[in-house]
Amino acid sequence: MLRFVRLIFYIHLWLPILASGQPCNKHLTGFIRDISTGYPMSYATIFIEETKQGAISDSAGNYSISGICSGRYHIRVSHVGCEPDRFFIDIYRDTTFNIYLDHHQKLLSDVVITERINPMQNQHVVKESFIAENADQNLSTLIETVTGVSSLKTGSGIAKPVIHGLYGNRVSINNNGAFQSGQQWGNDHAPEIDPLAAGKITVVKGSGVVEYPGNSLGGAILVEFPDIPEEPHLHGKINTYFGTNGMEQGANIQAYQKNKILGWRISGTLKNQGDKKTASYFLRNTGSREANIHLKIQKNWSEKIHTEIYGSSFNTIIGILRGSHIGNITDLQEALQREVPFFTEPDFSYQISAPYQAVSHHLLKGKTTFFFSEKAYLGVAYFGQINIRKEYDIRRSGKSSIPALSLNQVSQCIEVKYNKQFAQKLDLKTGFQLLRIDNTNQPETGILPLIPDYLTHKFGFFSLLKKQYLRWQLELGSRYEYENQKVVTITRGISPAIARYNNHFHNFSIIYGAAYRFSPNSTMTANAGLASRSPEINERYSFGLHQGLSSIEEGNPELSSERSFKATISWEKIIQKKFFSELLVYYQNIRQFILLKPQNEFRLTIRGAFPVFRYEQLPVTIWGIDYNASYYINPQLYTSFKCSFVKGYDQVSKNTLVYTPPTNIGAAIAYQAGHFLFLENLGIELSNKYVFKQVGLSPEQDFAPPPPAYNLLGLKITAQKLLKTHNFNFYVKVDNLLNTRYRDYLNRLRYFADDLGINCIVGCSYTF
């Protein structure tokens, strides 16, 4: 026994010496390519932080580092025009490690920043680096960089995405796998999502929308929290910014770590801003506050069972333009004609008073994935959401501190998804969702609620089949959804009474897609399908003042489901690795289209005078063209162009639909200087956006004529600095560089005030 103990002691004594004496003869090899084009990237630098060994990729993008000792290392990769990347890998034998960098992302900004990841499904991704450099933006304005996407705004703090002219419940929003609840309350309710915590945002416009609940006639938006890398050390980043318009400040802090037991990532965001300013005056009471936190935990029980838990809390207070709430009809008619809104003050203020909104959204997600093989897995998930909305109005007798609208919504969802890759390049994705939404008005308001109490149950089943054959890629998607609505509301009239409704809807969608690859640089894609959408609660039963929109809204209990046929065809072409072009044409015919239509009527209430809107149905046609192109003049100089045209009209009157996005074009030129003084990857970009005046509307369709066309100029400068293992990114951007005075047709508060003037934003992010 004593000999054995001595043996162990001597082994431990000599182990470090034996280890240090191991020959350092391992090789690390691989290639570096552009993630967007797949082209090799030469002159990229690969550096092992612990050993200080490195290499530079050759003209084919290949690299090789020899003489490496066995161990675990941090690998840093950098290239002119790319965001540096960092990996943690094991090298215990000769290792091949291939790397993909995004050579486009540092050059492109306002016009083409997205990556096309699935031509068949028309998916575009807004990346994390772009989100960080536009920290002052909300979810909707961030994805406006995707051609064919715009925003329906209510002032400067509220925005809802519009895809191919459709918005609201026709666009499904998926927050980290969960169908975002709270969107059933109306078009002014911005998604309660913190984009600074997102790793990427995906816009889906093709057949892939059948996977998500909500009868997405327009498309789907997927917001995803970043994955947790295989990294046992603590890492993270800090992102801060300051904007001159509204004196806004914001910060986001993230940290993550993954060891053998579990991985975790946490993120927190704080934002604060005061009154925004147009080209010549302040917009009183348009400040906002925001405080959010996110936590994600991952546990791999084995190679075949992975569990993920995610929780988030989003909290915001948003002021509503004081000049949009008017006391009587005479003043309201004058407000619609004024160049400067009522109650405008000469000085800036951070104060937020009535009217304003206070919104909280809490999300809990639990998901376990079972891997049966490399080609088959099953995911089971639960999502719970609590959405609390309070809207405060200007009330007499000191009641402004009592909410005029107080809604609580609790939603729960169970989801099961199965993925299987068969032989002959055949892929299947199928699954179902069970959704329950319980919406309750709180009795504290003393006012008849705008939205009634309701309980909704949904069951949705979908399947997505994909087949690749020679140069063809074929896809078939289908979805069936059953919905039951139990509604309790109060009738309006001389003798109000309680009315109960029990509604049943059956909706079915089927989309077929095909893509043909003429060559590695030329692909044509076509999609066609049928879809239907049941009317939402607010469209049928809302009645009263919608404070966020400063309008009276009246629902219609007789509304039926929308039924739509949509077809798209697109062509993508790359010429000599320098010119990229993409053209998309779409056509949509919708029967029983539900529209919140201005009624050419003003109504005086004890809360003031407001314009009246009513939900109506009509047959409509929507078609349009999206085009974007980019051209590399040389490796440092890049230019791009995009155009979006939408035509939506009533099939009976042939008038343009209200709130159809007007035609807009954008162009940019960017220069990447590389190293400059002590900075790296210095980039300068000048962008321009021109929005045409909306045409085809008759005077009786709206309370004010469409505003004139306008042109906005933007400037952006970015740079990086690498200090050992610490990476700093700096940016300065100026929106509306010429301080142009304008009103945007898609902004509901254009009736009362101009849009935003010049804004200079300075930001810095630090990655550790």
Side-chain angles (χ1 to χ4, degrees), residues 273-320:
Q273 70 172 44
D275 289 343
K276 289 287 191 177
K277 189 178 182 183
T278 68
S280 56
Y281 56 85
F282 288 104
L283 296 166
R284 186 183 172 190
N285 198 47
T286 53
S288 65
R289 317 268 190 273
E290 197 173 307
N292 316 312
I293 189 167
H294 312 256
L295 175 64
K296 183 177 184 178
I297 297 174
Q298 286 182 342
K299 171 69 177 175
N300 297 339
W301 303 99
S302 68
E303 291 184 353
K304 295 186 176 182
I305 302 177
H306 299 174
T307 295
E308 172 188 319
I309 297 174
Y310 171 81
S312 68
S313 177
F314 176 95
N315 305 277
T316 186
I317 296 175
I318 304 173
I320 305 296

Side-chain angles (χ1 to χ4, degrees), residues 497-550:
I498 294 177
R500 299 179 185 273
Y501 299 89
N502 190 3
N503 307 317
H504 302 270
F505 298 98
H506 299 269
N507 296 303
F508 187 75
S509 304
I510 182 167
I511 303 177
Y512 178 76
Y516 183 77
R517 195 171 188 178
F518 296 100
S519 71
N521 297 322
S522 179
T523 304
M524 181 166 284
T525 305
N527 281 275
L530 301 170
S532 58
R533 181 185 76 93
S534 54
E536 292 294 341
I537 298 296
N538 65 304
E539 295 168 336
R540 277 192 151 200
Y541 304 107
S542 61
F543 193 99
L545 174 62
H546 200 152
Q547 181 243 13
L549 294 175
S550 304

Side-chain angles (χ1 to χ4, degrees), residues 76 83-86 128 132 234-239 254 256 720-729 764-768:
R76 181 175 291 277
E83 183 84 18
D85 214 340
R86 197 164 183 251
E128 187 175 9
L234 179 65
H235 291 286
K237 67 177 181 180
I238 300 172
N239 185 12
Q254 295 190 24
Y256 63 86
Q720 297 173 346
K721 180 61 181 176
L722 184 63
L723 294 174
K724 295 183 178 180
T725 60
H726 306 283
N727 186 33
F728 293 86
N729 287 272
C764 173
S765 65
Y766 162 59
T767 305
F768 59 90

Side-chain angles (χ1 to χ4, degrees), residues 69 95 111 183 233 250:
C69 301
T95 302
V111 177
Q183 304 309 300
H233 308 100

Side-chain angles (χ1 to χ4, degrees), residues 586-599:
Y586 57 92
Y587 170 85
Q588 193 157 13
N589 187 309
I590 305 178
R591 297 172 59 188
Q592 306 300 323
F593 180 80
I594 300 173
L595 177 70
L596 183 59
K597 190 175 180 181
Q599 297 299 304

Side-chain angles (χ1 to χ4, degrees), residues 541-596:
Y541 304 107
S542 61
F543 193 99
L545 174 62
H546 200 152
Q547 181 243 13
L549 294 175
S550 304
S551 61
I552 302 290
E553 289 186 7
E554 295 181 356
N556 181 359
E558 303 301 322
L559 295 178
S560 57
S561 292
E562 293 179 342
R563 304 195 183 281
S564 164
F565 167 77
K566 183 176 183 180
T568 67
I569 184 167
S570 64
W571 182 46
E572 184 180 300
K573 178 71 174 176
I574 301 175
I575 301 175
Q576 296 182 345
K577 302 179 183 179
K578 287 187 173 181
F579 180 75
F580 170 83
S581 171
E582 181 186 15
L583 174 68
L584 172 69
V585 181
Y586 57 92
Y587 170 85
Q588 193 157 13
N589 187 309
I590 305 178
R591 297 172 59 188
Q592 306 300 323
F593 180 80
I594 300 173
L595 177 70
L596 183 59

Side-chain angles (χ1 to χ4, degrees), residues 379-396:
V380 180
Y382 166 82
F383 307 97
Q385 299 178 69
I386 300 175
N387 206 330
I388 303 170
R389 167 173 288 267
K390 296 181 186 294
E391 298 186 358
Y392 296 83
D393 203 353
I394 303 167
R395 304 177 72 175
R396 297 174 182 173

Side-chain angles (χ1 to χ4, degrees), residues 10-220:
Y10 286 127
I11 289 176
H12 278 81
L13 182 64
W14 285 94
L15 189 58
I17 300 175
L18 293 172
S20 63
Q22 286 182 348
C24 296
N25 57 0
K26 307 299 182 294
H27 301 275
L28 176 65
T29 58
F31 62 72
I32 302 175
R33 293 183 178 176
D34 188 330
I35 194 172
S36 299
T37 64
Y39 297 144
M41 299 181 66
S42 57
Y43 301 107
T45 301
I46 305 94
F47 183 72
I48 303 176
E49 293 180 355
E50 286 80 359
T51 66
K52 313 301 181 188
Q53 295 168 284
I56 296 176
S57 61
D58 59 21
S59 58
N62 298 318
Y63 72 92
S64 176
I65 304 175
S66 302
I68 306 171
C69 301
S70 297
R72 311 181 77 189
Y73 300 101
H74 290 91
I75 307 296
R76 181 175 291 277
V77 187
S78 60
H79 184 267
V80 174
C82 298
E83 183 84 18
D85 214 340
R86 197 164 183 251
F87 308 92
F88 187 74
I89 64 173
D90 296 341
I91 303 178
Y92 291 102
R93 61 184 66 87
D94 290 347
T95 302
T96 299
F97 188 66
N98 298 322
I99 301 166
Y100 290 87
L101 296 179
D102 193 345
H103 187 61
H104 292 77
Q105 66 179 13
K106 293 307 296 178
L107 283 178
L108 319 179
S109 179
D110 287 340
V111 177
V112 184
I113 189 65
T114 59
E115 173 196 355
R116 189 107 186 261
I117 60 173
N118 189 335
M120 176 75 72
Q121 296 188 359
N122 277 320
Q123 292 190 7
H124 294 74
V125 174
V126 178
K127 302 173 185 175
E128 187 175 9
S129 58
F130 180 76
I131 297 170
E133 291 179 356
N134 293 273
D136 58 308
Q137 304 290 311
N138 56 45
L139 174 67
S140 299
T141 52
L142 272 172
I143 62 174
E144 284 186 9
T145 53
V146 178
T147 311
V149 178
S150 49
S151 293
L152 185 64
K153 300 174 184 174
T154 305
S156 58
I158 301 172
K160 208 154 179 122
V162 182
I163 300 178
H164 288 168
L166 298 177
Y167 50 85
N169 293 293
R170 302 179 186 93
V171 176
S172 177
I173 300 176
N174 202 278
N175 182 6
N176 288 286
F179 172 65
Q180 181 76 6
S181 66
Q183 304 309 300
Q184 302 85 3
W185 287 339
N187 294 331
D188 69 313
H189 299 158
E192 303 89 352
I193 295 175
D194 176 13
L196 282 181
K200 63 179 181 180
I201 303 170
T202 306
V203 178
V204 184
K205 295 185 279 187
S207 55
V209 298
V210 299
E211 183 178 344
Y212 310 102
N215 304 310
S216 314
L217 300 180

